[in-house]
């Protein structure tokens, strides 16, 4: 259910301004951060693990019901304030969509899409491969050195990850850091005339994709031996809770920023490709 809901939101947001995608991915991170805050509160209030878990799921269920009710109310307000298109316009739209789908095969669409946005796709795969290999399993199984205590270390590390993952996605908000998204979406001014920088499909050359997505995604593989070393006794300094907290936070910032960047730049690259195709 989570995968279907997030995929639907990303598809809808990708058709709009890139900042809409940035807001959507940041909203998902804020939801994870809220869940961590709730877990911290229940852990502080409840004495034993069983009552802590029961309270957490009870409050979470109540919040979900409130969200569903709010969504229902918002949908009804939208229907009242916006006029629905007439039946004739609906039929015309459906006919055009059917003609478009019939003229282009699914395999052709996937092939052309991969040729255009293969770099963000590869980067996103590498990002999630590293993150899901380490979080939450190995990260939450650390034995505390005494600073965070064994009761709190797993909850605090997961909460820290969600916090800095959210911060990494906030870096792409133009109202906060306008230069970062502009640098990410920058296009080579000479890309149209330089055939060496264009793909076979005629996609424009986004000059900062390698430095902002591919290379950092590959560099994140360094977290694999680092987290493994935190579990071993080879380097005593990595057994300190404070050091582990810093490592997890750095991994979270890179995860949030790079993943959000991939979701932002992919639809933009496809739009430029479609515009060039229509001009040709």
């Amino acid at each position: 259910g989570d995968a279907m809901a997030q995929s639907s939101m990303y598809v809808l947001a990708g058709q709009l301004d890139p900042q809409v995608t940035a807001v959507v991915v940041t909203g998902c991170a804020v939801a994870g951060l809220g869940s961590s805050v709730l877990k911290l509160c229940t852990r502080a209030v409840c004495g034993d693990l069983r009552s802590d878990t029961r309270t957490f799921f009870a409050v979470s269920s109540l919040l979900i019901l409130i969200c569903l009710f709010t969504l229902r109310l918002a949908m009804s307000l939208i229907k009242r304030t916006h006029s629905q298109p007439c039946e004739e316009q609906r039929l015309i739209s459906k006919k055009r969509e059917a003609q478009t789908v019939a003229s282009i095969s699914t395999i052709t669409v996937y092939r052309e899409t991969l040729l255009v946005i293969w770099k963000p796709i590869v980067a996103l795969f590498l990002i999630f491969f590293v993150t899901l290999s380490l979080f939450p399993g190995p990260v939450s199984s650390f034995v505390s050195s005494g600073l965070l205590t064994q009761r709190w270390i797993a909850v605090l590390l997961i909460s820290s990850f969600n916090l800095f993952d959210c911060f990494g996605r906030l870096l792409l908000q133009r109202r906060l850091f306008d230069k970062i998204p502009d640098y990410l979406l920058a296009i080579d001014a000479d890309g149209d005339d330089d055939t060496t920088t264009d793909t076979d499909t005629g996609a424009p050359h986004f000059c900062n994709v390698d430095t902002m997505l591919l290379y950092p995604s590959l560099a994140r593989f360094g977290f694999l031996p680092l987290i493994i070393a935190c579990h071993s006794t080879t380097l005593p300094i990595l057994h300190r809770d404070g050091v582990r907290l810093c490592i997890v936070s750095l991994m979270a910032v890179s995860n949030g920023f790079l993943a959000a960047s991939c979701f932002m730049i992919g639809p933009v690259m496809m739009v430029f490709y479609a515009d060039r195709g229509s001009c040709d």
Side-chain angles (χ1 to χ4, degrees):
D2 178 71
M4 294 177 61
Q6 289 198 40
S7 300
S8 301
M9 289 189 296
Y10 294 148
V11 170
L12 293 175
Q15 303 176 45
L16 305 174
D17 188 89
Q19 279 300 297
V20 177
T21 304
V23 171
V24 170
V25 295
T26 303
C28 294
V30 171
L33 179 59
S35 177
S36 295
V37 172
L38 176 60
K39 183 62 177 178
L40 289 172
C41 294
T42 57
R43 178 61 59 91
V45 172
C46 301
D48 60 291
L49 180 61
R50 178 171 296 181
S51 60
D52 172 22
T53 304
R54 289 176 178 175
T55 305
F56 174 77
F57 280 106
V59 177
S60 299
S61 302
L62 179 61
L63 290 176
I64 291 174
L65 292 176
I66 294 174
C67 291
L68 291 175
F69 175 78
T70 306
L71 176 63
R72 180 73 176 180
L73 181 62
M75 294 292 292
S76 62
L77 292 175
I78 292 174
K79 289 182 180 180
R80 293 177 184 176
T81 54
H82 295 275
S83 58
Q84 298 292 330
C86 63
E87 189 65 25
E88 183 179 355
Q89 290 177 334
R90 291 181 181 178
L91 293 175
I92 293 175
S93 299
K94 289 182 179 180
K95 186 176 180 180
R96 289 177 179 175
E97 291 177 1
Q99 291 175 350
T100 303
V101 172
S103 61
I104 304 176
S105 65
T106 303
I107 297 178
T108 302
V109 172
Y110 280 119
R111 181 180 63 83
E112 294 184 355
T113 302
L114 288 173
L115 288 175
V116 175
I117 62 171
W118 68 270
K119 288 185 178 181
I121 290 176
V122 171
L124 196 61
F125 171 80
L126 297 176
I127 294 164
F128 286 147
F129 179 85
V130 173
T131 299
L132 296 177
S133 297
L134 301 174
F135 181 85
V139 169
S140 61
S141 61
F142 284 137
V143 177
S144 176
S145 63
L147 177 64
L148 302 180
T149 72
Q150 195 60 36
R151 171 180 168 82
W152 286 98
I153 183 170
V155 179
L156 289 175
L157 286 176
I158 293 175
S159 300
S160 175
F161 182 94
N162 288 332
L163 173 63
F164 284 94
D165 176 72
C166 183
F167 174 74
R169 301 178 191 224
L170 284 173
L171 293 175
L172 292 168
Q173 298 294 326
R174 184 168 279 115
R175 293 185 178 182
L176 301 176
F177 310 93
D178 57 337
K179 293 183 179 180
I180 296 179
D182 290 341
Y183 185 79
L184 171 67
L185 302 176
I187 301 175
D188 189 356
D190 300 326
D192 293 339
D193 299 327
D194 188 359
T195 56
T196 61
T197 57
D198 293 343
T199 63
D200 295 337
T201 57
H205 176 55
F206 288 80
C207 50
N208 299 321
V209 173
D210 291 348
T211 56
M212 290 196 70
L213 293 182
L214 275 183
Y215 299 154
S217 300
L218 289 170
R220 292 185 81 248
F221 274 87
F223 286 114
L224 292 173
L226 197 58
I227 296 296
I228 293 174
C230 289
H231 281 277
S232 67
T233 58
T234 306
L235 297 174
I237 190 174
L238 295 180
H239 275 255
R240 298 179 180 178
D241 290 347
V243 176
R244 293 168 172 172
L245 192 64
C246 293
I247 294 173
V248 171
S249 300
L250 182 59
M251 182 176 67
V253 170
S254 62
N255 177 81
F257 176 78
L258 293 173
S261 299
C262 292
F263 283 119
M264 278 185 65
I265 199 171
V268 175
M269 295 174 73
M270 287 305 302
V271 168
F272 272 87
Y273 164 63
D275 290 342
R276 286 177 57 124
S278 61
C279 294
D280 296 339

